[in-house]
Amino acid sequence: MGDLDGRVALVTGGARGLGAATAKALAAKGAKVLITDIRDGAETAAAIGGAYLKHDVTSESDWIAAVAHAKQSFGGLDVLVNNAGVFWVKPLMMETLEDFRRMQQINVEGVFLGLKHAMPAIAERAPLWDGGGAVINLSSVAGLVGAPNLIAYNASKGAVRLMTKSAALEYASMKVRVNSVHPGIIDTPMMAEAAQVIEGATGQGANAIRTQFAQRHPIGRMGRDIDVANAIAFLASDAAAFVTGSELVVDGGMTAI
Ligand SMILES: NC(=O)c1ccc[n+]([C@@H]2O[C@H](COP(=O)([O-])OP(=O)(O)OC[C@H]3O[C@@H](n4cnc5c(N)ncnc54)[C@H](O)[C@@H]3O)[C@@H](O)[C@H]2O)c1
């Protein structure tokens, strides 16, 4: 018996990184998982007995198809993890309006469309579960505190933090809980790619950059994907039945300073 037996979960950006680790953690707790991504996630889905659908979170028609797919394949939807996102480091003077908008389109509008199109399906089955339905939105420590050269990312993750609270208040009476998760620097392909860019710009070696990433956390290491996946699995489960509109910080103490 798993904490999520009988639940159906949709994880966006689930082909790799935190999304793939989350899909695995939810499946291990008994959920049927639909992985969606613009990247191929068929292998990841097959490994956990789930399904994969190509889905761009910026496309409204893709969202409608994704929710329909969850209903057709698994009978409904109980958990949505709005995980898909992009990240880059760019000084304010280098950021273009086009790129700024592109990041908001994926990180913010993608979450908005997810809430809009998945909520009715989640609310429909919410009475079945003690903890109701659950939405978990990936924000970041960058949704809590500012950082230089992150103008677009700070904007996007700050928006996700408060969109979470708005949806949580609107859907509390319908038994759908909505929470945000705020990871520190987690060792995923996204961070490996960011490290490469920093390496190119500064000439520092990869090991030096990884050490600096690790040192940002009082716990003394970078986060692992499972650290975040475990937090998401908790928020998805009935163990979090009284948790909504909250911010779960998974940052090794980074923002406690
Ligand atoms: N890794 C970190 O340190 C960290 C820290 C805080 C927050 N986050 C957030 O966690 C989430 C996952 O990050 P990650 O590190 O696993 O990143 P990642 O780049 O390793 O994986 C992200 C996935 O999202 C997918 N994706 C990108 N654009 C998409 C789109 N338009 N539609 C559908 N899928 C799309 C990518 O194909 C990829 O598979 C992101 O929202 C990120 O901002 C990550």
Side-chain angles (χ1 to χ4, degrees):
M1 287 279 286
D3 288 358
L4 296 173
D5 278 346
R7 309 307 153 95
V8 178
L10 192 166
V11 181
T12 68
R16 72 177 199 182
L18 295 182
T22 298
K24 200 171 158 189
L26 298 178
K29 288 182 180 294
K32 289 280 178 210
V33 183
L34 173 60
I35 286 177
T36 76
D37 204 305
I38 47 172
R39 194 182 298 272
D40 185 13
E43 217 172 289
T44 313
I48 59 168
Y52 161 74
L53 182 72
K54 192 172 168 67
H55 167 208
D56 182 339
V57 294
T58 67
S59 158
E60 193 150 22
S61 56
D62 277 11
W63 267 110
I64 292 164
V67 174
H69 196 91
K71 285 182 169 176
Q72 277 153 20
S73 304
F74 300 129
L77 186 62
D78 307 292
V79 175
L80 169 65
V81 184
N82 274 316
N83 165 78
V86 291
F87 170 85
W88 57 77
V89 180
K90 226 183 255 185
L92 177 55
M93 292 304 137
M94 304 279 286
E95 190 66 85
T96 63
L97 179 57
E98 194 186 14
D99 281 352
F100 183 90
R101 284 182 175 154
R102 179 72 190 144
M103 191 179 281
Q104 311 317 309
Q105 203 182 8
I106 299 167
N107 292 7
V108 180
E109 291 181 22
V111 173
F112 161 70
L113 289 174
L115 287 164
K116 187 171 167 72
H117 290 289
M119 251 340 171
I122 298 175
E124 202 178 301
R125 278 166 52 113
L128 290 177
W129 319 111
D130 185 41
V135 179
I136 298 98
N137 295 328
L138 267 291
S139 179
S140 166
V141 288
L144 300 172
V145 294
N149 308 318
L150 285 190
I151 190 78
Y153 194 69
N154 270 149
S156 72
K157 294 303 183 179
V160 169
R161 172 176 171 263
L162 280 181
M163 286 159 71
T164 300
K165 294 183 197 306
S166 176
L169 293 172
E170 202 169 325
Y171 278 82
S173 62
M174 286 169 257
K175 279 196 80 174
V176 184
R177 297 176 297 100
V178 189
N179 292 287
S180 55
V181 171
H182 300 259
I185 305 173
I186 314 297
D187 199 358
T188 67
M190 175 185 273
M191 277 308 125
E193 287 162 11
Q196 271 176 2
V197 172
I198 297 170
E199 206 178 329
T202 63
Q204 289 176 294
N207 283 345
I209 294 163
R210 286 183 66 85
T211 303
Q212 282 166 26
F213 281 175
Q215 284 169 345
R216 300 278 304 278
H217 309 86
I219 275 184
R221 64 167 173 85
M222 284 171 77
R224 301 179 187 118
D225 55 14
I226 190 68
D227 294 326
V228 180
N230 283 337
I232 294 170
F234 161 70
L235 289 171
S237 77
D238 292 344
F242 203 51
V243 184
T244 196
S246 82
E247 304 163 9
L248 184 42
V249 181
V250 188
D251 71 349
M254 183 194 276
T255 54
I257 295 168

